[in-house]
Amino acid sequence: MNKTVDAGKTLLIDGPASINFTSGYAEILGAPVKAPARIVVRDAKRVPIEVKKKAEFNVMLGEGAGAEEVEGSTIPQSWKSAAEKLLTTEEKPLTVMVIGKVDSGKSGFCTFLANMALRRKMKVAIVDGDLGQSDVGPPCSIGFGRITKPIKDLFDVSAENIYFTGVTTPSGVMDKIIDGLMRMKNEAREQTNADFLIVNTDGWVEDEEAVAYKLRLIEQINPNIVVGIQQQDELVPILNNVKIEKISIDTPAVVKQRDREKRKILRELGYKKYLKDAKVLAFPLNWIRIQGVPLGAGAPPRKQQMAKIQELLGLTPLHCEETANAILLVLGAMQWIHRDRIKAIEENLGKKVQVMREGDEEGLLVSLHDADEHFLGIGILHGIDYRRKTMKVFTPVKGKVAAVNVGQIKLDKSCKELGINPITTTI
Ligand SMILES: Nc1ncnc2c1ncn2[C@@H]1O[C@H](COP(=O)(O)OP(=O)(O)OP(=O)(O)O)[C@@H](O)[C@H]1O
Ligand SMILES: [Mg+2]
């Protein structure tokens, strides 16, 4: 479909779509786009093409996609004034933290702000603390990267390092997420030397626990300014209690809402992108450090202790490890034990017992790291062979793997999320 759009109007494209921009001049969230150019819009995403000089487009729409022309700019005035204020602040380096609920326009505002900062020749970097809808790095991670040229989408920023969280929301694992975000922020500061650092956050803001979490996060990250994007007054409980400088801006009227299913689709695209060209690799268990599950943390129990465990259990577990205060039992697929037997071990040996079952790990999302803890990539755990003492991971990683961090999200072979699954149970 051919479209001619006059200067002063915005063409809103809902993906999946591919656009041939044949003549004219436009901007996408502050990034200049000159014809001829090709613009690809991912599924479940909306891209506002703000036409500055009469433009012609050839629009190819995929299933469920759409194109709509609206008057004027879809960038709220409050975004422009906030950017102006932030970019004329004397303080340097400046850290700006962006908060807002899901679909409030966080990623869009971060993109716009980065483009505005580039216009002022600033050194810009972003830390993407949104786990569920990560733009920088794979889903379930916190990544950071430099922004050296105008961007139409934060997704185009390549990550310099990534902290893998293995979950899609901070609920229940808040300390870990705060720790990860702090690490990435500090690394971003040191490595990029940016004078303008943007920190994006997850969209969990509305219940009491979320408010307390966001306030803690703000206190720890300690940005110079917090920007809250809100539609009504959903951020008031947070913003009213923030001790540092804050700015409240509006959610664009045309923001595209995405339901849970669409968010899952977006994440699945993310997993696929980071698993491209993956192969199954086998790692000997004693060559790698395993994180996220207690496996490998202990040593095999001594003979006498093992005999005691076998007696109390009434069977020989497939695998058993012991630390100073815990015992890990891995049961074979056909082994069953009553909880009373676990209790008996805990009482007799005075240690907490954790149980894993052979095969339960299959499909869990993992991250792979080198000896310096540097993120190498993600993978899907194919399985642990306790007899051969190997771990099989489906991953595109080629470097030397020293550690595998096991997450809680389970994926099927086509990267569809099957749910959250912590694989150890404490009885
Ligand atoms: N100013 C704008 N004009 C038009 N569309 C916009 C604008 N800002 C954002 N959008 C679109 O609206 C959708 C939601 O915005 P965005 O992704 O920025 O929100 P978010 O708060 O980051 O959401 P999430 O919680 O899913 O990460 C996106 O498809 C985005 O491209
Ligand atoms: Mg976002």
Side-chain angles (χ1 to χ4, degrees):
M1 153 182 58
N2 285 322
K3 260 192 173 301
T4 306
V5 182
D6 288 330
K9 292 188 172 181
T10 298
L11 183 62
L12 287 173
I13 305 284
D14 291 342
S18 172
I19 295 116
N20 267 334
F21 180 25
T22 48
S23 76
Y25 174 74
E27 279 177 18
I28 296 176
L29 298 164
V33 197
K34 240 191 239 149
R38 215 171 107 89
I39 302 160
V40 176
V41 184
R42 287 177 292 143
D43 188 12
K45 281 273 175 186
R46 166 171 289 177
V47 168
I49 309 175
E50 194 175 331
V51 175
K52 297 284 182 184
K53 209 157 91 193
K54 190 172 177 162
E56 281 178 54
F57 303 93
N58 179 247
V59 182
M60 282 156 282
L61 299 177
E63 205 185 318
E68 187 196 345
E69 217 178 292
V70 295
E71 284 299 328
S73 168
T74 61
I75 311 275
Q77 188 50 46
S78 58
W79 285 26
K80 294 177 188 164
S81 342
E84 182 65 25
K85 180 162 191 250
L86 294 167
L87 295 167
T88 49
T89 304
E90 299 280 292
E91 261 169 295
K92 257 187 198 158
L94 197 81
T95 302
V96 179
M97 188 161 151
V98 178
I99 61 168
K101 66 174 188 184
V102 292
D103 288 334
S104 57
K106 296 182 298 298
S107 301
F109 179 70
C110 292
T111 309
F112 174 71
L113 193 55
N115 288 329
M116 292 299 122
L118 286 178
R119 283 192 194 178
R120 291 179 188 255
K121 308 265 179 289
M122 287 184 170
K123 253 200 219 162
V124 190
I126 175 133
V127 180
D128 184 11
D130 194 354
L131 318 170
Q133 298 299 312
S134 314
D135 293 295
V136 183
C140 308
S141 70
I142 300 166
F144 78 86
R146 270 168 246 246
I147 303 174
T148 51
K149 52 179 196 308
I151 43 164
K152 300 192 269 297
D153 191 332
L154 276 188
F155 199 70
D156 298 333
V157 176
S158 58
E160 282 184 37
N161 200 8
I162 282 162
Y163 178 94
F164 179 76
T165 71
V167 290
T168 53
T169 158
S171 172
V173 280
M174 294 174 262
D175 290 345
K176 182 175 173 160
I177 308 304
I178 293 177
D179 176 53
L181 207 53
M182 280 299 284
R183 282 202 215 184
M184 290 301 102
K185 181 211 140 184
N186 293 337
E187 255 186 57
R189 270 248 162 285
E190 284 157 24
Q191 287 183 22
T192 66
N193 215 1
D195 40 32
F196 198 74
L197 183 66
I198 305 168
V199 180
N200 194 10
T201 56
D202 63 86
W204 185 46
V205 293
E206 279 178 304
D207 61 55
E208 231 173 82
E209 215 186 341
V211 171
Y213 164 68
K214 281 282 148 26
L215 288 170
R216 250 182 79 203
L217 188 65
I218 294 167
E219 199 182 304
Q220 296 277 313
I221 297 289
N222 193 25
N224 303 82
I225 303 181
V226 174
V227 177
I229 312 182
Q230 51 187 347
Q231 203 160 22
Q232 285 163 343
D233 49 10
E234 63 270 18
L235 295 179
V236 166
I238 300 178
L239 293 178
N240 273 357
N241 289 297
V242 169
K243 310 236 167 35
I244 55 173
E245 200 177 336
K246 59 220 154 184
I247 306 176
S248 170
I249 61 172
D250 305 320
T251 289
V254 296
V255 98
K256 184 159 170 71
Q257 307 277 331
R258 292 165 285 209
D259 57 22
R260 283 172 84 94
E261 206 41 46
K262 275 285 178 202
R263 293 177 174 277
K264 262 174 80 175
I265 292 175
L266 281 173
R267 280 201 293 276
E268 282 158 20
L269 288 173
Y271 300 127
K272 279 189 184 142
K273 174 180 165 191
Y274 284 87
L275 287 168
K276 204 166 158 260
D277 301 324
K279 288 196 202 55
V280 177
L281 300 182
F283 303 107
L285 287 179
N286 53 4
W287 283 19
I288 48 168
R289 207 149 36 80
I290 302 167
Q291 297 157 324
V293 283
L295 205 65
R302 294 204 173 166
K303 224 173 168 182
Q304 227 182 344
Q305 178 85 331
M306 193 63 218
K308 185 104 196 166
I309 293 171
Q310 282 167 330
E311 187 198 320
L312 290 164
L313 274 180
L315 53 78
T316 306
L318 182 59
H319 178 84
C320 184
E321 283 178 25
E322 188 175 21
T323 62
N325 42 30
I327 292 172
L328 170 71
L329 300 173
V330 181
L331 299 178
M334 307 303 277
Q335 291 184 315
W336 298 95
I337 37 172
H338 196 271
R339 110 181 4 201
D340 290 349
R341 289 193 180 263
I342 303 287
K343 279 221 178 82
I345 299 185
E346 291 189 330
E347 275 159 24
N348 266 275
L349 305 179
K351 293 189 180 192
K352 197 107 207 95
V353 172
Q354 291 175 302
V355 181
M356 275 168 65
R357 182 168 290 282
E358 179 185 30
D360 271 1
E361 72 284 359
E362 203 185 314
L364 286 175
L365 183 69
V366 300
S367 63
L368 298 95
H369 305 259
D370 66 13
D372 301 322
E373 289 285 323
H374 208 268
F375 175 89
L376 298 171
I378 59 165
I380 300 178
L381 192 51
H382 260 207
I384 299 172
D385 186 333
Y386 292 94
R387 294 166 190 91
R388 292 203 174 98
K389 309 221 174 300
T390 55
M391 173 185 260
K392 281 192 176 162
V393 182
F394 181 67
T395 178
V397 165
K398 291 203 174 72
K400 180 115 183 60
V401 176
V404 175
N405 190 346
V406 182
Q408 296 186 8
I409 300 292
K410 224 174 213 197
L411 303 179
D412 72 5
K413 296 225 158 44
S414 55
C415 291
K416 283 220 156 38
E417 282 182 4
L418 297 173
I420 299 175
N421 189 343
I423 60 171
T424 40
T425 42
T426 319
I427 295 181

